[in-house]
mmCIF file of all heavy atoms in Angstrom:
data_model
loop_
_atom_site.group_PDB
_atom_site.id
_atom_site.type_symbol
_atom_site.label_atom_id
_atom_site.label_comp_id
_atom_site.label_asym_id
_atom_site.label_seq_id
_atom_site.Cartn_x
_atom_site.Cartn_y
_atom_site.Cartn_z
ATOM 1 N N CYS B 311 0.430 -3.347 -9.646
ATOM 2 C CA CYS B 311 1.595 -4.142 -9.248
ATOM 3 C C CYS B 311 1.159 -5.159 -8.188
ATOM 4 O O CYS B 311 0.223 -4.899 -7.424
ATOM 5 C CB CYS B 311 2.664 -3.264 -8.589
ATOM 6 S SG CYS B 311 3.293 -1.981 -9.649
ATOM 7 N N GLY B 312 1.888 -6.250 -8.109
ATOM 8 C CA GLY B 312 1.728 -7.219 -7.022
ATOM 9 C C GLY B 312 0.291 -7.686 -6.851
ATOM 10 O O GLY B 312 -0.410 -8.019 -7.815
ATOM 11 N N THR B 313 -0.136 -7.684 -5.612
ATOM 12 C CA THR B 313 -1.487 -8.145 -5.293
ATOM 13 C C THR B 313 -2.544 -7.401 -6.097
ATOM 14 O O THR B 313 -3.520 -7.998 -6.567
ATOM 15 C CB THR B 313 -1.729 -7.959 -3.772
ATOM 16 O OG1 THR B 313 -0.956 -8.942 -3.095
ATOM 17 C CG2 THR B 313 -3.176 -8.113 -3.389
ATOM 18 N N ALA B 314 -2.350 -6.110 -6.269
ATOM 19 C CA ALA B 314 -3.339 -5.333 -7.029
ATOM 20 C C ALA B 314 -3.423 -5.850 -8.468
ATOM 21 O O ALA B 314 -4.499 -5.828 -9.084
ATOM 22 C CB ALA B 314 -2.962 -3.850 -6.999
ATOM 23 N N SER B 358 -4.511 0.521 -7.103
ATOM 24 C CA SER B 358 -3.461 0.598 -6.082
ATOM 25 C C SER B 358 -4.071 0.794 -4.699
ATOM 26 O O SER B 358 -4.933 1.664 -4.516
ATOM 27 C CB SER B 358 -2.536 1.773 -6.410
ATOM 28 O OG SER B 358 -1.603 1.966 -5.389
ATOM 29 N N GLN B 359 -3.626 0.006 -3.750
ATOM 30 C CA GLN B 359 -4.066 0.201 -2.367
ATOM 31 C C GLN B 359 -3.556 1.537 -1.857
ATOM 32 O O GLN B 359 -4.316 2.381 -1.410
ATOM 33 C CB GLN B 359 -3.542 -0.953 -1.500
ATOM 34 C CG GLN B 359 -4.044 -1.003 -0.071
ATOM 35 C CD GLN B 359 -3.445 0.026 0.864
ATOM 36 O OE1 GLN B 359 -4.172 0.749 1.559
ATOM 37 N NE2 GLN B 359 -2.147 0.172 0.878
ATOM 38 N N SER B 360 -2.234 1.709 -1.930
ATOM 39 C CA SER B 360 -1.616 2.906 -1.337
ATOM 40 C C SER B 360 -1.898 4.157 -2.148
ATOM 41 O O SER B 360 -1.918 5.266 -1.622
ATOM 42 C CB SER B 360 -0.100 2.711 -1.259
ATOM 43 O OG SER B 360 0.427 2.561 -2.569
ATOM 44 N N THR B 363 2.180 3.892 -5.447
ATOM 45 C CA THR B 363 3.162 3.003 -6.084
ATOM 46 C C THR B 363 3.769 3.690 -7.310
ATOM 47 O O THR B 363 3.056 4.062 -8.253
ATOM 48 C CB THR B 363 2.483 1.670 -6.455
ATOM 49 O OG1 THR B 363 1.960 1.125 -5.250
ATOM 50 C CG2 THR B 363 3.455 0.699 -7.078
ATOM 51 N N VAL B 409 1.996 -5.362 5.908
ATOM 52 C CA VAL B 409 2.649 -5.210 4.607
ATOM 53 C C VAL B 409 1.961 -6.086 3.554
ATOM 54 O O VAL B 409 1.765 -5.673 2.414
ATOM 55 C CB VAL B 409 4.164 -5.504 4.735
ATOM 56 C CG1 VAL B 409 4.780 -5.789 3.385
ATOM 57 C CG2 VAL B 409 4.848 -4.306 5.387
ATOM 58 N N ALA B 410 1.585 -7.295 3.942
ATOM 59 C CA ALA B 410 0.898 -8.172 2.986
ATOM 60 C C ALA B 410 -0.541 -7.703 2.804
ATOM 61 O O ALA B 410 -1.302 -7.590 3.761
ATOM 62 C CB ALA B 410 0.924 -9.611 3.486
ATOM 63 N N SER B 411 -0.891 -7.456 1.583
ATOM 64 C CA SER B 411 -2.217 -6.921 1.275
ATOM 65 C C SER B 411 -3.261 -8.033 1.314
ATOM 66 O O SER B 411 -3.048 -9.118 0.768
ATOM 67 C CB SER B 411 -2.151 -6.311 -0.122
ATOM 68 O OG SER B 411 -3.323 -5.626 -0.404
ATOM 69 N N MET B 418 -10.742 -4.425 -4.093
ATOM 70 C CA MET B 418 -10.446 -4.041 -5.487
ATOM 71 C C MET B 418 -11.236 -4.932 -6.439
ATOM 72 O O MET B 418 -11.806 -4.475 -7.430
ATOM 73 C CB MET B 418 -8.953 -4.251 -5.792
ATOM 74 C CG MET B 418 -8.041 -3.228 -5.186
ATOM 75 S SD MET B 418 -6.337 -3.837 -5.316
ATOM 76 C CE MET B 418 -5.471 -2.497 -4.504
ATOM 77 N N LEU B 494 1.740 -15.645 -3.662
ATOM 78 C CA LEU B 494 2.467 -14.426 -3.253
ATOM 79 C C LEU B 494 2.379 -14.238 -1.739
ATOM 80 O O LEU B 494 3.384 -13.935 -1.074
ATOM 81 C CB LEU B 494 1.893 -13.200 -3.979
ATOM 82 C CG LEU B 494 2.495 -11.844 -3.579
ATOM 83 C CD1 LEU B 494 3.987 -11.781 -3.893
ATOM 84 C CD2 LEU B 494 1.782 -10.692 -4.279
ATOM 85 N N LYS B 495 1.170 -14.435 -1.191
ATOM 86 C CA LYS B 495 1.009 -14.266 0.264
ATOM 87 C C LYS B 495 1.950 -15.198 0.993
ATOM 88 O O LYS B 495 2.631 -14.804 1.929
ATOM 89 C CB LYS B 495 -0.435 -14.569 0.717
ATOM 90 C CG LYS B 495 -1.510 -13.563 0.470
ATOM 91 C CD LYS B 495 -1.367 -12.241 1.144
ATOM 92 C CE LYS B 495 -0.505 -11.320 0.349
ATOM 93 N NZ LYS B 495 -1.110 -10.355 -0.528
ATOM 94 N N GLU B 498 5.755 -14.207 0.547
ATOM 95 C CA GLU B 498 6.221 -12.930 1.095
ATOM 96 C C GLU B 498 6.241 -12.886 2.619
ATOM 97 O O GLU B 498 7.025 -12.142 3.195
ATOM 98 C CB GLU B 498 5.444 -11.742 0.516
ATOM 99 C CG GLU B 498 4.038 -11.599 1.016
ATOM 100 C CD GLU B 498 3.338 -10.370 0.463
ATOM 101 O OE1 GLU B 498 3.975 -9.334 0.266
ATOM 102 O OE2 GLU B 498 2.117 -10.448 0.234
ATOM 103 N N VAL B 615 5.465 1.210 -2.249
ATOM 104 C CA VAL B 615 6.712 1.150 -3.022
ATOM 105 C C VAL B 615 6.826 2.407 -3.887
ATOM 106 O O VAL B 615 6.423 2.428 -5.051
ATOM 107 C CB VAL B 615 6.780 -0.141 -3.854
ATOM 108 C CG1 VAL B 615 8.132 -0.285 -4.529
ATOM 109 C CG2 VAL B 615 6.540 -1.348 -2.954
HETATM 110 C C1 LIG N 701 1.629 -7.960 -1.560
HETATM 111 C C2 LIG N 701 1.587 -6.526 -1.661
HETATM 112 C C3 LIG N 701 2.196 -5.890 -2.851
HETATM 113 C C4 LIG N 701 1.323 -4.712 -3.307
HETATM 114 C C5 LIG N 701 2.025 -3.945 -4.429
HETATM 115 C C6 LIG N 701 1.159 -2.828 -4.963
HETATM 116 O O1 LIG N 701 0.971 -8.414 -0.418
HETATM 117 O O2 LIG N 701 1.087 -5.858 -0.805
HETATM 118 O O3 LIG N 701 2.405 -6.789 -3.878
HETATM 119 O O4 LIG N 701 0.107 -5.218 -3.728
HETATM 120 O O5 LIG N 701 3.221 -3.405 -3.958
HETATM 121 O O6 LIG N 701 0.850 -1.908 -3.963
HETATM 122 P P1 LIG N 701 -0.314 -0.884 -4.132
HETATM 123 O O7 LIG N 701 -1.589 -1.639 -4.188
HETATM 124 O O8 LIG N 701 -0.219 0.013 -2.938
HETATM 125 O O9 LIG N 701 -0.071 -0.142 -5.419
#
Side-chain angles (χ1 to χ4, degrees):
C311 299
T313 288
S358 174
Q359 187 286 129
S360 62
T363 302
V409 162
S411 188
M418 285 167 181
L494 176 62
K495 284 297 85 97
E498 73 177 325
V615 187

